[in-house]
Amino acid sequence: MSPLNSRYSWGGDEHLVVQLDEAMSLEVNFEAMAMARLLQSQKLPGVIDVCPANASLMVRFDPDVIAPAALEDAVRQVEREVGDAPSLTLRTRIVEVPVWYDDPFTNETGARFRDRHQRPEGNDLEFAAIENGLPSVQAFIDRHSGSPWITSMVGFVAGLPFLFQMVPQERQLEVPKYLRPRTDTPALTVGYGGCFSCIYSVRGAGGYQMFGVTPVPIFDPARKLPDFADFMVFFRPGDIVKFRPIDGDEYERIKQDVEAGEFRYRQSPVSFSLHDFLAGPDAYNATLLEALHGH
C-alpha cells in the first residue's frame, strides 16, 4: 500500500475528498476501493455516500449529524488500517462483455469526425495498432480482449465504467484521445483514452477512440433485465471485465435476447488478491478466466 501521503480537502459543506496519489495505478486504485468498502461497512451516522475513483475517494456527509473533523479522523483511521494490512482481498465478480470490434456503427461515426483525429486516414483501431507498435488491427484486438480489466471507477455519465488493464505496466495498451471531442458516439461503444478502456452507456459526445460496440446494456433505468433487478447501473467499482470478440451475426442474436428480456451476463464471483496478482499477473489472470469459463 502507498505511504500515508494523501491529501484531504473539502468540497463545499458536504464532501470530503481524499486524493491518495497523483498517478493512477492498480495498487492505489485497490487502496481507494478497500478504504471505501471499509468505511461503508462502518455505517457511520451522517455518512451518506462513499465514491471511490481512480486514485481517490469522495465521502458525502451530513454536517448536522457528523462534524467534519470527526469524519476526517474516521477516514484517516480507515486509511491507516488499510495501509497496515499485509495484503488485501476484494470480494468481487468477473463478467464477460461481448464486443463486435471494427463494427460499422463506430466506423461510420469515426469517418464523420476524422478532422478531429490525429490520423485522418483509416479508423480508430488502425490508429491504435500503429500507436502500440502492433502489426495489425487483429493483433490489437487480441491484446485488448486477451486479458481482464478491473473497473477502477464508475461515472462521468450514468453507469460508464472506467476499465484498467490487468497486465504489467510495460504491456499496457495506451492510446491518446481525439484531438477534439466528437459530438456523437453510438451507445454502448467500447472506447479507449490514455490507459483506460470504457463503455459509453448512452449516445452522446465523446473523445475516446472507438473500437467496437457491445449489444448488452450497462445502464437500464427501466430495469427490464434480470441483471438489473437490484440497480439500474450494472457495473460496480472492483468488477473484473473480460471482453469477448463476436461477429455481426452474434451481435444481432444477443440484441434479440436483450429485447426479449432474456439476456443474462456470464459472470462468476471471485476473490481478488492484489498480492497474489502482483506476484504473477499472467498466472493469476488465468485462474480468474477459469472461474468465468467454468461458471
Side-chain angles (χ1 to χ4, degrees), residues 173-193:
L173 300 168
E174 292 189 13
V175 188
K177 296 188 290 185
Y178 273 48
L179 296 175
R180 291 185 294 127
R182 300 176 304 274
T183 56
D184 190 23
T185 307
L188 300 176
T189 289
V190 175
Y192 208 107

Side-chain angles (χ1 to χ4, degrees), residues 78-142:
V78 164
E79 184 180 6
R80 282 190 289 270
E81 291 182 32
V82 169
D84 290 341
S87 63
L88 294 175
T89 300
L90 185 69
R91 291 296 303 170
T92 185
R93 59 182 175 171
I94 183 167
V95 179
E96 182 181 86
V97 176
V99 180
W100 185 10
Y101 288 94
D102 209 7
D103 67 289
F105 311 115
T106 58
N107 280 334
E108 185 277 330
T109 302
R112 287 192 280 120
F113 293 97
R114 296 325 284 175
D115 62 322
R116 305 177 184 217
H117 199 276
Q118 296 90 336
R119 186 174 184 269
E121 62 275 18
N123 64 13
D124 293 3
L125 271 170
E126 291 170 346
F127 172 68
I130 293 169
E131 282 289 298
N132 286 274
L134 297 172
S136 66
V137 164
Q138 187 58 52
F140 183 87
I141 293 172
D142 291 344

Side-chain angles (χ1 to χ4, degrees), residues 251-268:
Y251 175 88
E252 293 298 334
R253 287 196 300 271
I254 295 174
K255 277 199 70 174
Q256 291 174 8
D257 289 342
V258 169
E259 291 166 1
E262 298 173 352
F263 175 79
R264 295 299 302 265
Y265 274 94
R266 172 182 280 184
Q267 57 182 291
S268 178

Side-chain angles (χ1 to χ4, degrees), residues 285-295:
N285 284 344
T287 65
L288 292 174
L289 298 181
E290 286 174 7
L292 178 63
H293 295 150
H295 186 71

Side-chain angles (χ1 to χ4, degrees), residues 24-25 27 164-174:
M24 163 70 188
S25 68
E27 295 89 333
F164 191 72
Q165 195 175 20
M166 294 169 57
V167 296
Q169 187 173 5
E170 65 273 12
R171 284 164 44 196
Q172 283 189 333
L173 300 168
E174 292 189 13

Side-chain angles (χ1 to χ4, degrees), residues 228-278:
F228 294 85
D230 296 330
F231 193 46
M232 68 179 70
V233 170
F234 180 74
F235 284 107
R236 302 185 290 264
D239 280 348
I240 296 170
V241 174
K242 172 63 172 62
F243 294 116
R244 180 173 68 87
I246 61 174
D247 59 17
D249 290 339
E250 186 171 2
Y251 175 88
E252 293 298 334
R253 287 196 300 271
I254 295 174
K255 277 199 70 174
Q256 291 174 8
D257 289 342
V258 169
E259 291 166 1
E262 298 173 352
F263 175 79
R264 295 299 302 265
Y265 274 94
R266 172 182 280 184
Q267 57 182 291
S268 178
V270 293
S271 180
F272 177 61
S273 166
L274 179 63
H275 176 270
D276 292 347
F277 170 80
L278 294 175

